[in-house]
Amino acid sequence: MSVIPLLAILVQTLTGGTVDALKAPAGTRAIVYLFTSTDCPISNRYAPEIHRIEQAFGHKGVLFRLVYPSRYESDAAIRDHLRSFDFGAVQAVRDSELSLVKFVGATITPEAAVVVDGRVVYRGRIDDRYVDLAVERPAPTTHDLADALAAVLAGQSVPRPVTQAVGCYISDLTR
C-alpha cells in the first residue's frame, strides 16, 4: 500500500494549530484514522462501535484519531459532534486539504485506515453491518477493523488489507 512520505502530512487541530498526522508518541504500535463527518448518519451510528474498539485497543499502543475531511465543517460543529457522541478520549483533526485522505485512499465516511511505521496496512469498513446505503444487518458478521488491529498487535499480516466501506462520500474529493 502506501509508504511513509518524505514530507509530513499536516492536518489541523481544533485549537488552530497543525500536527503531522503520521507522528505518534513513542510506544505507539499503530495509528487508526477514522474518517467521519458531522452529518453522515452511518458515521454517527458507528460511534458506539468506535468507542468499543478504542477501549479494546487504545491501551495496547494503538492511537485513534477522528478525521474530519471537509473544508466546510466548522470547528464549532466538530466540537458539538464530539460532545454529542462522547468522543472525548479520541483526538480529532481536520483534513481540509485532504492530504491524509489521499495518502490512505479514503473515499467514504465512516472509513478506517490503520498505519504502522508509515505504511497503510488496512483501509476500509469498521465492520460489515452495512451491506449498502439502505441495507443494514441486525448485527455485523465480520469485525474488519478489530481483526486488522488484532493481527497488527500479534505481528501478523492483516488478512484482508482492503475492504469496501459503506457510507457518505467525502464530498470534497469530487471537486
Side-chain angles (χ1 to χ4, degrees), residues 88-142:
V90 180
Q91 180 187 25
V93 296
R94 295 175 57 106
D95 187 20
S96 59
E97 297 301 315
L98 305 181
S99 304
L100 186 56
V101 165
K102 292 173 184 171
F103 175 73
V104 302
T107 59
I108 300 289
T109 65
E111 188 164 4
V114 178
V115 174
V116 177
D117 296 328
R119 293 178 37 89
V120 179
V121 298
Y122 174 76
R123 180 185 52 78
R125 64 191 180 198
I126 295 167
D127 60 34
D128 70 345
R129 185 167 94 189
Y130 288 89
V131 178
D132 204 340
L133 285 176
V135 183
E136 179 182 357
R137 290 183 170 95
T141 61
T142 63

Side-chain angles (χ1 to χ4, degrees), residues 8-123:
I9 296 179
L10 297 179
V11 293
Q12 300 84 33
T13 65
L14 298 182
T15 57
T18 59
V19 63
D20 183 349
L22 296 179
K23 296 236 184 217
T28 301
R29 298 177 66 191
I31 304 172
V32 175
Y33 303 101
L34 295 155
F35 296 88
T36 191
S37 68
T38 60
D39 61 356
C40 178
I42 294 176
S43 287
N44 291 337
R45 285 187 200 123
Y46 267 105
E49 182 64 7
I50 290 168
H51 288 293
R52 188 191 69 71
I53 295 169
E54 193 277 332
Q55 288 178 354
F57 294 97
H59 67 283
K60 297 178 181 178
V62 178
L63 175 65
F64 287 79
R65 288 186 172 145
L66 284 174
V67 181
Y68 292 83
S70 173
R71 299 166 199 238
Y72 305 108
E73 289 182 305
S74 70
D75 288 350
I78 292 171
R79 281 189 196 94
D80 286 345
H81 186 252
L82 294 169
R83 273 191 298 277
S84 295
F85 292 94
D86 197 25
F87 282 121
V90 180
Q91 180 187 25
V93 296
R94 295 175 57 106
D95 187 20
S96 59
E97 297 301 315
L98 305 181
S99 304
L100 186 56
V101 165
K102 292 173 184 171
F103 175 73
V104 302
T107 59
I108 300 289
T109 65
E111 188 164 4
V114 178
V115 174
V116 177
D117 296 328
R119 293 178 37 89
V120 179
V121 298
Y122 174 76
R123 180 185 52 78

